[in-house]
Structures are given as structure tokens and as C-alpha cells.
Amino acid sequence: MDPQTLTNLFSCTFSPDPNVQKRAELEIRKLGAQEGMVTTVLQIIGNDNVDIATRQAAAVYLKNRVYSSYFIDSVARPDQVPIPTSDRNNFKASVLPLIASSPSRVISVQLAGALKNVVARDFPEQWPTLADDVKKLLVSSNVNEVHAGCVTTLEMVRAFRFRQNNDILPKLVEAFFPTLVNIATQALSNAPVGPNEDVPTIVHLILKTYSTSILLHLSPHQQSAESLVPWGRLLFQVVNLQIPKEAVPEDEEKRERCEWWKAKKWAYKILGRLFHRFGNPSQLPSTLQKDYAAFSQHFVTNYAPEIFKIYLQQIELFVSGQAWLSKKCQYRIFTFFTECVKPKSTWALLKPHFETLVSSYVFPQLSFTPVKEEQWNTDPVEFVRTTVDEFEAFDSPVSAATSFLFSLASNRTKTTFLPILGFINRVLQSKPAAPQRYGALNMTAALGPFIMRHPEVKGNMEQFLLQHVLPEFAAPEPYMRAVACEVLGTVIKAGMKFTNQQFLEQHLTAVAAAIDDAELPVRVHACLALTELVTETPSVQSVVAPQVGKVIQTLLKLAEETDLDILNHCMESMVETYQAELLPVAAELTARLCETYARLAKESQNADEVDPSTVDIDAIMESEGNEDKTFAAMGVAKTISTVVNAVESSPEILAQIQEIIIPVVILTLENKLLDLLDNMYDLVDALTYKLRSISPNMWPVFELTYKLFKADAVDFLDEMLPSLDNFVSFGTEMFKARADYRQMVLDIYQTAISSEHLGENDAVNGCKLAESMLLNLRGCIDDALQPIVNTALSVVDKAQTNALRLANLNVLVNAILYNPAATLHIMEQAGAGTARKFFDKWFESIKVDNRLPRVHDKKLSIMALCTLMEMDPANVPASIQEGFHGIVSGALKLFQEYPKAVQARKELEEAFQNESDDESDEDDSKYLNMNEEDDDVWDEDSAYVEMLANEGQRLREKSEKAAAAGGDYSDDEEEEDEIEEELGYISPLDNVDPYVTFKQALTAFQMKNAQGYQLATTSLSPEQQTFLMEVMRIAEEHSAQAAAQS
């Protein structure tokens, strides 16, 4: 392959002419499969006579080619052509020297990405020389080669970081880490701290490598003193390193990103990870005790106190202005302090300092700083986003300070809570400048849920609002008006009730005025506060009712301006509260919401349009992609669902808004916006279910659903099923008229059963769809009966879960109900004795308790048995004639259990209705720990981590057993979830009385098959015969009641 030709093509890939660019890319793609292509690309990357941009383009191509085609699964895409062996060997021979001589960071990053993917596949068996080559680089006197060795070591560790129970990573650690720690230590000792970035870059890479190695495990070597002592010394040295101003950029944002502060960030991160994951015995999950109990005791005794002492010094230097700390380092320090709250040993270290830390660090962080002021003025939407959503900037100093405050208040309540509130009160009583008043009220808003649960404090909140919050609504500083709204909304949401109606009216008036404030953040916070007042205070509901239209319009306008998801929650609450008032404007409201949703969906699609072949796991993990548009679209869709639920009482309006909603559903499906499918199918399900009909404009949604299922969304059957069931249930006339629609549903069922890409839960959903066809399209799907029965028979012996066994059995029972003679004939065609085998399975399920647990399961089997009673005896296959008389006793067994199932379903419905009432009764102990002892704290978070660790261990053990068994392992003792009633499920059987049907069928049985009837009834036990008379009595009773009502 000609290097010059290929060089020219790569240089054309960044041509300003899109046509030239496209032609070059297509030509490179054509050449990609040729042997020697990768070798030539490597030559271009290493050629100093080629310009940097072209070499970078070649490096990007190389990384993507290796990622997509170095290893190819058995099922390859058409565009995937394996890289030839000669090119693979040349890559391995060239990549390390290329990294060492790389002229730019961009090229190094691309080469490193390609290297990692090859290491993950070929090391050590297919690349045995790599470790020795890297060791030579690390001990080189050439700084570029040492840098290349560090880059390669990092990529080797990254390649194996997520592998459970692998022996490669511990060997890498033992082989390379002693050398790495020596390199970093010597580099820091020998070189002055200056602007040259060679030393900090190498230290940064080494620390990042260590951090990557301890994501899941800490190897025995890393736990030993031989490793822990030098690494601990290095980490403390980096943390304590005082970096001169001249060594780093003056601009703070650039300083955050410079190599020296990256190195410090990784040092802080490692120390935090060692303590959080491995070195905190009081919070160590039981599954990790075996490997880390001894290490955790050693670490918490010998290292945690030293870390605490150094971190405290760093914060003291920062607070006093003697030293600068990057935001990431501040976050890591206070994350560690938060971790120190629950263990008894570290709490003893922190306890004497918590008040100083709150007053000197937490309070300034939560005050109105110049950074916040700049954000308020330049990007008010982002200001609201970061102040309202605590997860928006989770790794910021403000977030860490807030989490520290929460941990003190909830885990050490007796010691810390009243002193913290005392500090807030002292600040406010001293009447400081607005930024400090903001800080005190911001702390109050953060602690609101805790304040309103503290028995000694919550009663004082009304007076606090009157004295310190209400005046701020008139403050000249807009941020004070915003925080006043936030405090009010928080304490109302947490359960505060005004005892003085006049005080309530004063606060409501202030919030109402703030809704029209000139500043956007004030308007947003006012809307949030008003929503809480409306939701929690009946008298406010009445006052706002006449103005709810204006409030909704304000919310819509704000939502369109900001795309803040929190405003969607406000709208949902308003719509739920004022259903009657909003009926006249429901269509207009829905139209506005649909416009907003469509805009957000399109913006989300544009942001997500990337070539999947160019993205690997590291790009996904390390990207800070903006998902705000998608989440905002989800929030708007949820608000639309709330409107649909609110107008349920008016079918005319519901039908009207359905026509407004259908276009955005079609937009989502046509553009394959998979992240939004769940929300759209919720809407389709709600509309079709509530209207009990399918609009002509809704049928394109059905067609698009089928196309999506067969292409990009095969694994979305769980989300699609309720809507598909509604199409079949409420669109029967269309299905009777359209054979292609019937074939689509049949194909979905068969794909759900047979596809290798789908699991048993999808197969269960497919069975439910087949059931819906058989029940709703009686007499119209004769041509589908054979494929349905044959598909179901193929599952009988393969099903692994009770859920699929039952769902598949119900399909076959439905087939009996649909046409017993034809179904039994199809079974016998499938193989001699197949019908008998099915009957044995069916009757086993009937006789064993809880095999047919739900009302529907029992009623379906009763109805199918009744259909068999009415059969012409000549159509009964010989294989089942011997036990055919058992159909009567089987029906009686089901009737014995049927009333219990009906009662259980009724109780479940009542419990579901009462559930919302119970949810509001939150346990105060989740918020406050009133114990006076300074013991270890084990709270809900600790229990949750323990649960996750246990579940992870269980899944790993299961996976190991399956691997040892060659994939044939099945855990018969594994507990499955009980199959519960589906309260929203409806079917044509709901209006059928099984008792009346049974009586009629028994009479037909007697007339059509007298011999069989006699055998069936005389073989009953005396108890069964008595019960048969009871069933017949109930049938008579029900018939009389039905006649009286008609």
C-alpha cells in the first residue's frame, strides 16, 4: 500500500470541503480491509515529515480500527473485517516506540487507546514480550521512554481493572508498582517544582495507574508493608507539596487542569478510595471481611489519623488564605471527612473540629460567593440547576460541604445538630451582609428536613420564618429573595404547618409576588415554594384555585426558558391538585407540553449523533456528556402523562388530547429515540387503556412499534407489551380485517420466544401477547393456531423460571379454549403422545398448590376444561382418552382454590389503594440519630452497601458455577419471586362467570359423551361429589342474579 496516497487521504479528512472529506473517508474505509493497511498507518503516524494534523487523523483511525475489528465476535457486522495477523504483529512491534516518540498528546492518547484494546485481547499469551519491553522503558534514562512506559502500564492496568477473580492484574501490580513508586519518589526529590511538566505528568500517570488498580480489589502485595509504606509516603508527599505560583497558570480554571494539580487530585482520590473501600472496618461489607478485615484495622489505626491530620492542615491553610486548593481536591478532602463521621475511631478525631470546619469551610462554601454571583449574572439557568439539584455537580466543593453537613446532622445528631443551628442563629442575629445571610439561610434550607423532625427545634420554625425569612422577600439583593423562597418551600415540604393564619397569608403573598420577580432564579424558587404550599396546605389550595391558569402559564414559560426538570414536577403537582379547574385548558396545556417535548427530543437526538464505532468504554466513562435534554424530555413526557390521568373523567377531552399527543409519539418512534421509548409507551398505554378504543391515527404507532421491535428496539418488549396488548384488546375489528397486523403480532411472539438476544422475561411478555391474540380474536386466527402451539411446545422443556413455565402453559391452555379439537390435533402432529405430555403437565399444575396462583390462571383453566367437556368425543386423541374423565375433578380442584384467589386479589387492590397514605409516614430515625454514645454508626446507607456487596457476591458465585459447568448450570434452589396478581390486567374472561359456564358445560358433557360423563362423576370421591353439588348451587344462584339484573 502506497504511504503517500494514504497520507493524502488522511489529510483530506479534515478538508473544509465536506465533499472532499466524505470521499476521503469512503476511500479509507474501502482500503481498510487490505493487508498492510494498519502497518502503513503506523508508518504515517511515526513519520516526522508528515504534518501533525494528518498524523493525528491517522492515529484516530488506528484506534477506531483496532477497537472495532481487532477482535470480532462470532456474529460480525458486514463492515467488520478482521485485522490480518501481519498487521497485528507490526502493531505490537511499533506501538511502544511510537508512544515514546509521539509529538503530541492527542496522538499519544489515540495510540494508548488502541494499545489497551490489544492488551485486553492478547496479553499475556499472544504478547509475551510486552512486560519486559515496558520494564526497559521504565528504567530508561530518556524521559520520553519513561513516559511511554508509564502510559503503557496504565493501559495494561485499565485493560484488566474490571475483571473479577483474575490473576493478571495482581501480577502486573507486583511486577511494575515497586518501580513506579520509585520513579515518582525520585522525580519529586530530584526535580524542583517548576513549570516544566515532565515530572508532574509522570507522577500524574503513576498515581492514576495506582488508582485504577484499586477500583475493585486491593491485591495482597498492595496490602503488604512492602508496598503500603512507600506508596503511603509518596501520597502524603504529593498532598503536602507546596506548588509555587510560577509553576502553575495564574488563571484558576487552567490551574485546575494543570499536571501538578492533576497529580494532587489523584493522590487525594487514592487515599479516599483506600479508606472508603478497604480501610474502614466499621463499614466494611461482610463479603469483604475475609480479604480486608486485617488490612482495614491496620489502615484505620495507622493511616487514617495521619490522613485526617494532613487534610485538616490543608483546609486550615486554604481557609486562612496561605495556600490554594483545587475544587477537586477540596471535594476529596470533605468526602473523606464525611466518611470519618460514622466510624467510632475516626469520629473521635473529627469531633473536636466539626464546629470549626462548619463555620470556617462549610458556611463560606454555602454563602453567596463571587463565583455564584458571576454564575447568577451570566448563566442564571445553570445557577438554579446547581442549587436545586444536589446531584447536578456532585463532585464540587459545595456538594461535598453539604454532604458533610448532612452526615453530621443525621449520624451524630446529639452532638452536632444544636451547635450547628446555634451557629446559624448567631450569624443571622448579628445581621451581617447579604452574602453571609444567604449562607446561613442556605444551610437552613439544606437542614430543613432534619429541623422539622427534631423534637426540640421544629416548634420554633414558624417564628424563625417570621423573623429571618419573611423580611428577605423584600431584600434588594435578588439572591436573598430566592433563598427565602427555598427555605419556605423546604420546611413546608418537610411538614411544617402554620399555626397563625395571618403568618401563612403573609408568606403566601410574598411568594406570589416573587413569581413575577424580574430575576429568573427567584421566579423558579417561588414556583417551587408555591407548589409545596399548594400541595401541603388546603387553605392555600382554595386561594390559588382561581389563579391556577396563570400559575400554569408561568410554569410553562419558565420550563420552556430553562428546560429544568424540577419545573415539570411542579406542573405535575398542580395538574393533580387542580384537575377540575384545568379541564377546560387541558388541550392547550397538552399542546404546549408536546411542543416543548418535540424540541427537547430533537435537541437530544442531535447531541447523541455519534459514530458507535468511534466510542469505547473509556470514552463513555470519562465523558461528561450533557444528558440534560433527554432528562428534560422525560420530565415533560411525565407531565403529559399527569394531564392524561387528570382528564380521565372526560372521555371527550381525553380523545382530543390523544390526537395532540400522537404526533410526538410518532416523532420519537420514527427517530428511534430509545431513551424516550419508555415514556412514550406509558402514554400510548394510558391513552388506549383509558379510552378502551384505538383511534385511526394511533395505528401508525402500532406499525412503527413492530418495525422498531424487529430492528433497534428488540429488547424493549417489556415497555411495548401493555400498548401492544391494548391494540389487540381494543382494536379487534382492525385485526380481523388486517391479516398483516395479525402476522406482526404473531411474529413478535415467535421472536420473543426464539431470539438469542432476549431472555425469559421477554419470552413471558411474548406469551402474554399470544394469550391476548387467542382471547380477543376468537375464530379469526385459525391460520396462526398451529405456529402458536408449535412455538409454545418448543418451550415446555426449556423454561428455566416458574414465570415462563406458567406463561407458556397459559398459551397452550388458551389454544385449547380457542379450539380444543384443532389444538389437540396439532399437538399429536408434533409428535405421538405430545397431547398426553401436555395434559400431564397441565393437571400437575392444577393439583399442586400455587402452580396456577392468579385469578386469571384458575379461571382460564376452568374455561378450557369446560370447552373440553363440550367436545365431540370422537375428536379426543387416543393418547388422552384414558385420563380424559379427570377434567371434572380438575375443574373442581380449581373451584376449591378460586374463591381464595379472588379474595386475595381484592385485598391486594385495597392495599394498593392505601399504599399512598402509608408512604407519607416517614420514619424520623432515617434522618436523626439521637443516641448519646459515640459508637460506630450503621445506617440505611451502610445497610444498602452491605446488600449490594452480598448480591454482587451471589451473582459472582452463580457465574463461576455456570462457567465451571460449561454453561449448563442451573440453580434449582434459587428462590424466585412469587407470581403476583397483575391488577391492571383485563381480558374477555373478566365478564364470564366460571360457575355458570361449568354448569352448562357439564350438561353438554352429559348429553354428548354420556359414558365419559358417567366415568367422570362416579370416579369422584364423596367429598368431591358434595363439592360438585355446591358448585352447581352457586351456578344456579349466579344465573338467577344475572336474570334479575337483565
Side-chain angles (χ1 to χ4, degrees):
M1 186 170 293
D2 179 31
Q4 188 57 52
T5 302
L6 194 55
T7 301
N8 293 339
L9 286 172
F10 278 121
S11 67
C12 290
T13 58
F14 48 87
S15 166
D17 185 339
N19 294 320
V20 172
Q21 183 180 334
K22 193 71 179 172
R23 280 198 299 272
E25 289 171 355
L26 290 172
E27 191 62 32
I28 290 170
R29 193 170 295 175
K30 285 180 191 173
L31 296 171
Q34 293 184 20
E35 185 168 2
M37 175 68 170
V38 168
T39 302
T40 307
V41 171
L42 289 164
Q43 291 170 3
I44 293 169
I45 295 170
N47 189 342
D48 290 337
N49 296 320
V50 176
D51 65 277
I52 291 288
T54 302
R55 294 164 75 183
Q56 287 177 354
V60 171
Y61 169 83
L62 177 69
K63 182 193 136 184
N64 293 336
R65 178 84 170 102
V66 168
Y67 175 72
S68 64
S69 303
Y70 195 86
F71 177 85
I72 297 178
D73 292 320
S74 54
V75 182
R77 297 195 313 269
D79 61 329
Q80 280 187 303
V81 179
I83 295 174
T85 303
S86 60
D87 279 335
R88 292 176 182 227
N89 292 336
N90 286 331
F91 174 88
K92 293 173 190 174
S94 305
V95 67
L96 298 189
L98 283 176
I99 293 173
S101 61
S102 170
S104 81
R105 185 176 182 278
V106 174
I107 291 176
S108 298
V109 168
Q110 301 301 324
L111 290 171
L115 171 68
K116 176 176 71 69
N117 284 301
V118 175
V119 168
R121 297 297 179 187
D122 282 2
F123 183 78
E125 290 84 1
Q126 306 300 318
W127 199 350
T129 61
L130 177 61
D132 288 339
D133 291 342
V134 174
K135 286 177 182 176
K136 289 175 187 173
L137 291 172
L138 290 174
V139 297
S140 169
S141 57
N142 183 323
V143 69
N144 291 331
E145 290 187 350
V146 175
H147 178 269
C150 291
V151 169
T152 308
T153 308
L154 172 59
E155 297 307 324
M156 292 173 77
V157 170
R158 291 173 85 174
F160 299 103
R161 68 193 137 158
F162 293 129
R163 295 197 188 177
Q164 294 283 356
N165 301 326
N166 78 87
D167 59 349
I168 298 177
L169 187 55
K171 288 178 181 175
L172 289 175
V173 167
E174 198 162 353
F176 292 118
F177 279 34
T179 305
L180 291 178
V181 73
N182 286 338
I183 292 171
T185 304
Q186 288 172 14
L188 289 174
S189 303
N190 298 338
V193 178
N196 185 304
E197 294 211 332
D198 286 342
V199 169
T201 300
I202 287 174
V203 174
H204 160 211
L205 285 169
I206 288 171
L207 294 181
K208 188 174 182 180
T209 303
Y210 190 98
S211 177
T212 305
S213 75
I214 60 173
L215 280 175
L216 296 180
H217 304 291
L218 192 68
S219 72
H221 172 75
Q222 287 169 308
Q223 294 181 49
S224 69
E226 177 190 353
S227 171
L228 196 59
V229 170
W231 279 101
R233 194 180 296 121
L234 171 66
L235 293 168
F236 290 149
Q237 184 180 358
V238 173
V239 167
N240 282 319
L241 197 63
Q242 294 300 310
I243 305 171
K245 286 183 179 179
E246 61 273 14
V248 291
E250 189 173 337
D251 179 78
E252 287 197 3
E253 287 190 11
K254 290 179 181 176
R255 202 183 313 167
E256 288 265 355
R257 297 192 298 270
C258 80
E259 289 296 324
W260 280 115
W261 280 100
K262 280 183 181 178
K264 287 176 79 76
K265 175 192 76 174
W266 285 105
Y268 280 109
K269 186 173 182 180
I270 292 166
L271 290 170
R273 184 65 177 174
L274 286 171
F275 181 61
H276 169 75
R277 172 82 173 167
F278 311 106
N280 185 349
S282 81
Q283 305 297 311
L284 193 68
S286 57
T287 55
L288 300 181
Q289 292 283 347
K290 178 183 173 185
D291 292 329
Y292 305 115
F295 173 83
S296 65
Q297 286 294 344
H298 175 68
F299 193 88
V300 80
T301 304
N302 297 295
Y303 282 85
E306 188 64 22
I307 296 172
F308 181 84
K309 176 185 163 187
I310 291 173
Y311 281 15
L312 199 61
Q313 289 170 351
Q314 295 299 314
I315 285 296
E316 287 169 354
L317 290 170
F318 173 72
V319 167
S320 63
Q322 298 177 61
W324 186 83
L325 268 178
S326 74
K327 291 176 182 176
K328 288 285 194 289
C329 293
Q330 292 177 54
Y331 168 75
R332 293 292 170 193
I333 289 173
F334 266 83
T335 300
F336 176 78
F337 285 162
T338 302
E339 295 274 352
C340 288
V341 173
K342 288 196 281 189
K344 179 180 179 179
S345 58
T346 50
W347 171 239
L349 302 171
L350 177 61
K351 186 177 178 181
H353 303 282
F354 84 86
E355 288 189 73
T356 304
L357 288 171
V358 167
S359 61
S360 65
Y361 183 84
V362 174
F363 172 60
Q365 286 294 333
L366 296 183
S367 296
F368 199 76
T369 60
V371 173
K372 289 190 177 81
E373 184 175 17
E374 182 184 355
Q375 190 179 47
W376 178 292
N377 293 327
T378 59
D379 192 350
V381 175
E382 192 59 26
F383 176 88
V384 175
R385 199 187 306 280
T386 52
T387 53
V388 168
D389 184 357
E390 61 197 66
F391 300 109
E392 186 64 34
F394 71 94
D395 59 350
S396 69
V398 173
S399 167
T402 306
S403 297
F404 179 63
L405 197 61
F406 286 167
S407 189
L408 290 174
S410 61
N411 293 305
R412 301 293 178 184
T413 312
K414 271 284 184 185
T415 304
T416 69
F417 197 58
L418 292 180
I420 292 171
L421 294 187
F423 169 76
I424 292 171
N425 272 312
R426 287 194 300 277
V427 171
L428 292 172
Q429 297 286 0
S430 68
K431 304 203 181 309
Q436 285 69 48
R437 299 203 311 277
Y438 178 93
L441 290 181
N442 200 10
M443 287 176 69
T444 307
L447 294 172
F450 304 93
I451 291 170
M452 293 313 301
R453 286 169 174 81
H454 196 287
E456 298 174 34
V457 179
K458 60 183 178 182
N460 303 327
M461 208 58 210
E462 187 169 357
Q463 195 58 39
F464 180 91
L465 289 175
L466 197 66
Q467 185 177 350
H468 297 299
V469 177
L470 186 60
E472 301 295 2
F473 280 98
E477 299 86 3
Y479 55 86
M480 293 309 302
R481 303 195 292 273
V483 79
C485 291
E486 186 176 3
V487 174
L488 177 62
T490 301
V491 296
I492 292 293
K493 184 178 182 179
M496 200 208 97
K497 307 292 182 190
F498 279 95
T499 57
N500 185 310
Q501 186 66 23
Q502 183 184 351
F503 292 169
L504 171 60
E505 289 170 3
Q506 287 176 300
H507 283 83
L508 177 59
T509 302
V511 170
I515 285 178
D516 294 323
D517 199 281
E519 299 282 341
L520 184 141
V522 180
R523 297 199 299 276
V524 172
H525 279 289
C527 286
L528 298 177
L530 182 63
T531 302
E532 298 304 339
L533 283 165
V534 165
T535 305
E536 302 294 335
T537 316
S539 61
V540 173
Q541 289 177 17
S542 323
V543 173
V544 173
Q547 299 296 319
V548 70
K550 174 181 179 288
V551 173
I552 288 288
Q553 291 297 329
T554 303
L555 283 169
L556 279 168
K557 187 169 183 295
L558 274 174
E560 289 164 359
E561 286 177 30
T562 64
D563 294 337
L564 288 168
D565 187 37
I566 189 73
L567 292 171
N568 293 316
H569 298 301
C570 291
M571 264 187 284
E572 288 166 34
S573 297
M574 289 293 180
V575 170
E576 286 172 358
T577 305
Y578 296 109
Q579 293 184 10
E581 288 84 355
L582 290 172
L583 272 178
V585 296
E588 180 190 349
L589 173 59
T590 305
R592 288 278 297 276
L593 290 168
C594 285
E595 286 173 16
T596 302
Y597 172 85
R599 173 179 60 79
L600 290 166
K602 288 171 184 171
E603 290 174 4
S604 168
Q605 181 187 20
N606 294 337
D608 288 344
E609 284 179 349
V610 293
D611 181 356
S613 68
T614 66
V615 180
D616 65 9
I617 187 170
D618 291 306
I620 294 168
M621 287 178 64
E622 294 180 4
S623 70
E624 296 181 1
N626 187 354
E627 297 177 322
D628 290 339
K629 300 297 182 186
T630 301
F631 285 124
M634 289 176 180
V636 174
K638 195 163 174 244
T639 307
I640 297 171
S641 291
T642 307
V643 176
V644 169
N645 293 329
V647 302
E648 185 177 4
S649 59
S650 175
E652 298 82 8
I653 295 176
L654 186 58
Q656 188 181 353
I657 69 171
Q658 175 181 246
E659 299 306 313
I660 298 169
I661 293 169
I662 287 173
V664 299
V665 176
I666 290 174
L667 168 79
T668 306
L669 271 54
E670 282 182 338
N671 289 285
K672 301 176 181 177
L673 305 179
L674 302 185
D675 288 338
L676 299 170
L677 287 191
D678 194 5
N679 302 86
M680 291 299 100
Y681 282 116
D682 281 346
L683 279 170
V684 175
D685 176 32
L687 290 166
T688 51
Y689 184 81
K690 292 176 190 302
L691 288 167
R692 299 292 200 274
S693 64
I694 308 298
S695 156
N697 291 328
M698 188 64 86
W699 286 106
V701 173
F702 170 75
E703 295 175 11
L704 283 167
T705 297
Y706 173 71
K707 288 177 185 174
L708 264 177
F709 176 76
K710 294 299 288 182
D712 298 72
V714 67
D715 51 352
F716 278 81
L717 185 55
D718 206 39
E719 290 79 6
M720 296 172 174
L721 177 70
S723 299
L724 289 169
D725 183 37
N726 291 347
F727 277 114
V728 176
S729 300
F730 308 127
T732 51
E733 294 306 314
M734 182 66 81
F735 277 99
K736 289 175 183 177
R738 296 282 299 264
D740 56 333
Y741 280 12
R742 298 196 296 272
Q743 181 57 38
M744 287 178 192
V745 178
L746 175 62
D747 187 29
I748 292 173
Y749 162 60
Q750 291 181 306
T751 304
I753 295 294
S754 61
S755 174
E756 294 179 358
H757 299 289
L758 300 177
E760 292 215 345
N761 184 58
D762 297 295
V764 169
N765 288 328
C767 290
K768 291 176 181 177
L769 199 54
E771 265 205 88
S772 187
M773 289 177 70
L774 290 164
L775 286 168
N776 289 288
L777 303 174
R778 299 287 291 273
C780 302
I781 53 167
D782 292 350
D783 55 341
L785 187 62
Q786 183 159 355
I788 288 175
V789 171
N790 286 337
T791 302
L793 288 174
S794 71
V795 179
V796 170
D797 294 323
K798 295 179 184 175
Q800 299 289 318
T801 60
N802 291 335
L804 181 55
R805 291 187 195 101
L806 176 59
N808 191 62
L809 176 67
N810 280 349
V811 172
L812 292 169
V813 173
N814 262 291
I816 295 286
L817 178 61
Y818 179 89
N819 188 329
T823 299
L824 292 172
H825 178 67
I826 293 165
M827 287 181 176
E828 287 301 286
Q829 277 187 321
T834 302
R836 177 58 184 265
K837 183 179 175 183
F838 159 69
F839 263 73
D840 290 344
K841 294 260 186 191
W842 185 16
F843 274 78
E844 181 186 346
S845 296
I846 290 171
K847 290 172 184 174
V848 177
D849 289 346
N850 292 324
R851 287 282 183 87
L852 302 175
R854 300 166 299 192
V855 172
H856 172 73
D857 305 325
K858 298 181 194 302
K859 183 185 271 193
L860 174 64
S861 279
I862 291 170
M863 299 301 293
L865 291 170
C866 290
T867 308
L868 289 171
M869 292 180 204
E870 295 172 341
M871 262 184 75
D872 185 335
N875 291 328
V876 178
S879 65
I880 64 171
Q881 284 176 359
E882 182 184 344
F884 194 70
H885 63 274
I887 57 178
V888 174
S889 63
L892 291 175
K893 169 66 175 166
L894 289 166
F895 273 121
Q896 286 178 323
E897 301 295 326
Y898 183 73
K900 298 176 191 172
V902 171
Q903 180 61 29
R905 180 189 174 97
K906 184 180 177 183
E907 290 172 0
L908 192 63
E909 286 172 341
E910 291 171 354
F912 181 75
Q913 289 175 351
N914 296 332
E915 201 172 72
S916 58
D917 299 333
D918 298 336
E919 284 177 358
S920 60
D921 300 330
E922 287 192 272
D923 183 2
D924 289 353
S925 65
K926 294 178 184 178
Y927 285 85
L928 305 174
N929 174 18
M930 304 301 282
N931 293 334
E932 296 189 14
E933 301 297 325
D934 287 344
D935 293 330
D936 291 324
V937 175
W938 183 267
D939 61 3
E940 278 196 337
D941 290 340
S942 312
Y944 182 66
V945 171
E946 172 73 13
M947 181 275 293
L948 288 178
N950 288 333
E951 181 64 9
Q953 180 72 12
R954 185 187 70 81
L955 292 173
R956 282 193 294 277
E957 289 173 356
K958 183 180 177 183
S959 176
E960 288 165 12
K961 289 176 182 175
D968 296 328
Y969 168 77
S970 77
D971 189 353
D972 295 329
E973 296 180 2
E974 184 176 335
E975 290 185 13
E976 291 187 39
D977 293 335
E978 286 186 17
I979 299 170
E980 292 186 345
E981 286 285 352
E982 297 173 3
L983 298 182
Y985 180 75
I986 61 171
S987 87
L989 297 184
D990 291 346
N991 297 322
V992 178
D993 189 315
Y995 291 93
V996 174
T997 304
F998 176 75
K999 181 175 180 292
Q1000 294 167 349
L1002 197 61
T1003 303
F1005 191 23
Q1006 185 177 14
M1007 294 176 64
K1008 290 185 177 180
N1009 189 352
Q1011 184 179 354
Y1013 170 81
Q1014 185 177 8
L1015 186 58
T1017 52
T1018 55
S1019 62
L1020 297 174
S1021 67
E1023 292 81 7
Q1024 287 175 319
Q1025 290 179 352
T1026 303
F1027 185 63
L1028 174 60
M1029 298 307 294
E1030 175 64 13
V1031 171
M1032 300 299 275
R1033 184 193 66 74
I1034 295 171
E1036 290 281 0
E1037 201 175 274
H1038 288 190
S1039 295
Q1041 289 171 357
Q1045 291 171 0
S1046 61

